Amino acid sequence: MRRRKRSLNPEEQELWSRVTETAIPMPMRGKSAPKEKTSRKAVPDPISPRSIKSFKLGVKAAPKHAKHSLAPSLDDHFVKAPLAMDKKAFTRLKQGKLSPEARLDLHGMTLEQAHPRLNRFILDAHAQGKRLVLVITGKGKSRDEGGPIPTRLGVLRHQVPQWFQQHPLRPHILQVTQASQKHGGSGAYYVYLRRAR
């Protein structure tokens, strides 16, 4: 038994007419269908010939950078940081002429081990009225296997300055700068603490 075709009610007919007004006909295969003007804008091709540099087959691409880091240079970060302490004392500090009153060596620790140790060390030093402490992170081992995602050199070296900017350490720290060669160079930080009140 065949089913009778159901006709559309007026509400369905109105809905169908709206759909057909917005529909764009598909191009017919093998036949050149007449081009109709559509109100939609054509999407430009994301790869333009100008964006591709010329190359020769068989020639290897030159590496852009021999070494890379996933974070901006720490030297740039400290140079841009505003000076919060006395300029004369800061110059002496950078030259290694001030001696740290305490030191913490995080060298070889994981992030999970180092973070609570750093917090405890800075908070204790501040409570004891110490002004200058040295935090040693190490320079980090070069362990880039050459994969598609670069491996960060010195995870602690990059993470510790971020911890200095977070609670609970930030209110107690006046200035942070890279240590002089005498105290560890790029693998250590001078942390100048605020006066305990």
Side-chain angles (χ1 to χ4, degrees):
M1 190 161 130
R2 279 176 118 191
R3 272 185 153 181
R4 233 177 61 215
K5 267 189 172 179
R6 184 175 86 78
S7 59
L8 300 174
N9 65 34
E11 196 176 291
E12 292 171 329
Q13 283 178 343
E14 183 185 338
L15 182 62
W16 182 248
S17 66
R18 280 197 227 151
V19 169
T20 56
E21 285 172 7
T22 59
I24 300 169
M26 291 178 62
M28 300 180 88
R29 290 186 188 173
K31 296 178 182 178
S32 58
K35 291 183 180 178
E36 293 181 19
K37 291 183 180 177
T38 60
S39 60
R40 294 184 183 187
K41 293 181 180 177
V43 178
D45 187 8
I47 302 173
S48 67
R50 292 183 198 136
S51 66
I52 300 172
K53 293 183 179 180
S54 62
F55 63 93
K56 291 181 182 178
L57 288 175
V59 177
K60 289 186 178 181
K64 289 185 178 179
H65 302 289
K67 291 184 180 179
H68 50 260
S69 176
L70 298 179
S73 165
L74 291 169
D75 295 335
D76 293 343
H77 172 74
F78 291 124
V79 167
K80 290 177 185 174
L83 186 61
M85 60 186 287
D86 178 60
K87 191 175 181 179
K88 193 173 181 180
F90 182 70
T91 304
R92 292 184 67 221
L93 175 69
K94 290 275 294 173
Q95 294 171 347
K97 292 181 179 175
L98 298 179
S99 296
E101 299 170 68
R103 57 179 264 167
L104 172 67
D105 192 349
L106 301 173
H107 199 197
M109 291 186 192
T110 64
L111 292 173
E112 292 78 21
Q113 295 167 331
H115 197 185
R117 290 280 301 272
L118 177 69
N119 286 348
R120 181 80 276 142
F121 173 73
I122 296 292
L123 295 175
D124 287 348
H126 183 262
Q128 294 165 8
K130 294 178 179 168
R131 296 302 307 278
L132 179 62
V133 294
L134 180 70
V135 176
I136 301 165
T137 61
K139 295 180 183 179
K141 292 181 181 175
S142 180
R143 53 189 177 92
D144 191 1
E145 289 90 29
I149 300 173
T151 308
R152 177 171 276 170
L153 177 64
V155 177
L156 276 177
R157 189 170 148 244
H158 285 277
Q159 190 61 45
V160 167
Q162 293 176 29
W163 290 338
F164 290 145
Q165 298 299 315
Q166 296 171 357
H167 189 76
L169 302 183
R170 188 176 183 179
H172 306 294
I173 296 173
L174 187 64
Q175 193 81 48
V176 176
T177 189
Q178 186 174 296
S180 69
Q181 288 300 327
K182 177 180 175 182
H183 292 121
S186 61
Y189 299 102
Y190 291 129
V191 183
Y192 200 78
L193 302 172
R194 295 182 186 278
R195 289 189 191 280
R197 292 179 184 174

